[in-house]
Amino acid sequence: MQTELSNHLGVEHAVFGFTPFPAVAAAISRAGGFGVLGAVRYTAPDELKRDLDWIEEHVDGKPYGLDVVMPAKKVEGVTEADVEAMIPEEHRAFVQDTLAKYGVPELAEGEASGWRITGWMEQVARTQLDVAFDYPIALLANALGSPPADVVDRAHDQDVLVAALAGSARHARKHQEAGIDIVVAQGYEAGGHTGEIASMVLTPEVVEAVAPLPVLAAGGIGSGEQAAAALALGAQGVWLGSLWLTTTEADLHSRALTRKLLAAGSGDTVRSRALTGKPARQLRTEWTDAWDDPAGPGTLPMPLQGLLVADAVSRIQRYEVEPLLGTPVGQIVGRMNSERSVQTVFDDLTRGFERAVDRINRIAGRSGQ
């Protein structure tokens, strides 16, 4: 599974694995792929430094990257408190009523929310970069369009490639104009924030739109056969995120959530604004249903929705309230029906890739060549 891009980065397989878990990121790189650590949950620079130190010690000298969330445009002088003050009382009451309906306990006195949306704010992302650029990261990815121009320049000054996700060919061309090195074509099937176009249509459109920039295919990919299809469409690699959630190295802190992921089918996800205010694919739960119900107040725009539900999400996760318990995940969840190590996942990916290539060679009359 080698391409020009994987060879340039010095990795054995053109598999880029996005994950919030340092142990998974390191395992992906050790297995011959390219691990990318998601930084959005790190609100304190020391926490990110601790985990990057850990990765350095466990990656066996293999390359890895970091994924941040930075808007290309920002509003100056706005603090988290300013944003909090914009949240209507009607929405706060809806959250409390929904939690009360399912008997979700309060957090213990003094126990802070474990999940905040502050990682989506540019000033937080910039502190993450101040830490990350002290490490030998080989790739900086941005999940919210092209990063600001000064960040692209700073990365390039340190010989760090910059990637950005795109849900359409139009978005991809904007990335190219902004000096981005790699475009991740993220299809409708993917977990998290997605657009409206499916991967089979999106990938070749983006490849054609930004040629000769390398493109990674994302969304609906969880097997070697699907990875081979992505490369056949012109991608130079695949970007996988959901697949790692049920690996043995992942640390979801919830057996109940792991059970739900293992039991879910490909039709058990929904694109909902319930988590952040933008459409994000996640497990369908009674929490997403409540927010998508026309009888409710409706969701708020980003970042208001994320701040509104942060404490509620922490309580749901802390007490494993199964009807409400969910996570961002793509439609590939239907294939995630057993807990496997990252290495086992890679073994399956490479075997499936070989099967697909052999099958195409037989169809083309090239068997044995």
Side-chain angles (χ1 to χ4, degrees):
M1 297 172 67
Q2 293 181 338
T3 65
E4 183 179 348
L5 178 60
S6 65
N7 289 335
H8 175 78
L9 287 167
V11 296
E12 183 180 359
H13 304 298
V15 174
F16 294 72
F18 165 80
T19 175
F21 307 117
V24 176
I28 290 169
S29 290
R30 288 198 308 272
F34 189 97
V36 182
L37 178 67
V40 70
R41 67 189 181 97
Y42 295 97
T43 56
D46 288 348
E47 294 174 355
L48 179 58
K49 184 179 186 304
R50 176 201 64 206
D51 283 355
L52 288 176
D53 283 339
W54 190 94
I55 288 177
E56 276 290 300
E57 294 172 2
H58 293 83
V59 81
D60 293 349
K62 302 294 181 63
Y64 63 93
L66 191 75
D67 180 281
V68 297
V69 180
M70 298 187 73
K73 299 178 181 179
K74 65 178 179 179
V75 179
E76 298 284 356
V78 177
T79 66
E80 182 179 344
D82 295 331
V83 178
E84 286 264 19
M86 302 176 189
I87 297 173
E89 287 303 318
E90 175 191 14
H91 285 75
R92 295 187 188 276
F94 180 77
V95 169
Q96 294 309 315
D97 290 346
T98 304
L99 295 177
K101 176 181 177 181
Y102 291 91
V104 182
E106 297 277 355
L107 294 176
E109 186 174 352
E111 184 177 355
S113 168
W115 181 84
R116 300 293 289 173
I117 201 67
T118 50
W120 294 87
M121 303 180 76
E122 182 180 339
Q123 60 267 36
V124 176
R126 286 188 178 274
T127 64
Q128 295 166 350
L129 293 178
D130 288 339
V131 172
F133 282 130
D134 286 335
Y135 292 82
I137 61 171
L139 175 72
L140 174 67
N142 189 44
L144 200 62
S146 302
D150 68 295
V151 172
V152 176
D153 291 340
R154 185 178 178 187
H156 288 165
D157 287 344
Q158 298 193 209
D159 294 324
V160 176
L161 297 180
V162 181
L165 276 67
S168 70
R170 178 173 60 86
H171 291 155
R173 281 189 287 267
K174 287 185 177 180
H175 294 335
Q176 186 178 38
E177 292 166 1
I180 300 303
D181 304 293
I182 301 168
V183 175
V184 181
Q186 186 181 36
Y188 173 83
E189 309 96 323
H193 297 108
T194 70
E196 302 280 354
I197 306 173
S199 297
M200 184 64 74
V201 174
L202 179 66
T203 301
E205 284 187 354
V206 171
V207 168
E208 181 178 351
V210 301
L213 279 189
V215 172
L216 301 177
I221 302 171
S223 71
E225 288 86 350
Q226 289 164 324
L231 268 59
L233 294 173
Q236 286 204 30
V238 292
W239 178 276
L240 311 182
S242 299
L243 194 63
W244 317 110
L245 290 174
T246 52
T247 57
T248 54
E249 292 90 346
D251 188 11
L252 286 176
H253 298 294
S254 172
R255 292 304 304 171
L257 180 54
T258 299
R259 288 194 298 271
K260 290 188 75 171
L261 288 169
L262 295 174
S266 55
D268 292 329
T269 68
V270 63
R271 285 172 77 245
S272 171
R273 298 177 185 267
L275 187 61
T276 68
K278 285 184 177 291
R281 185 170 297 284
Q282 54 203 281
L283 279 181
R284 182 177 180 179
T285 66
E286 293 185 35
W287 177 256
T288 62
D289 285 350
W291 281 104
D292 294 339
D293 188 339
T299 56
L300 297 171
M302 181 187 281
L304 298 180
Q305 182 71 15
L307 287 169
L308 169 66
V309 305
D311 288 340
V313 170
S314 291
R315 288 165 60 184
I316 292 166
Q317 292 175 345
R318 170 70 175 79
Y319 297 107
E320 297 189 315
V321 183
E322 293 206 31
L324 306 179
L325 187 62
T327 185
V329 69
Q331 292 180 333
I332 201 64
V333 71
R335 295 185 63 94
M336 297 158 48
N337 49 26
S338 65
E339 292 182 81
R340 302 177 292 167
S341 69
V342 168
Q343 183 61 62
T344 300
V345 171
F346 262 88
D347 292 342
D348 289 346
L349 286 171
T350 53
R351 282 194 293 266
F353 184 85
E354 291 170 356
R355 286 194 300 268
V357 172
D358 288 345
R359 185 180 303 121
I360 294 301
N361 281 336
R362 288 196 302 272
I363 292 171
R366 296 172 182 162
S367 180
Q369 295 183 16

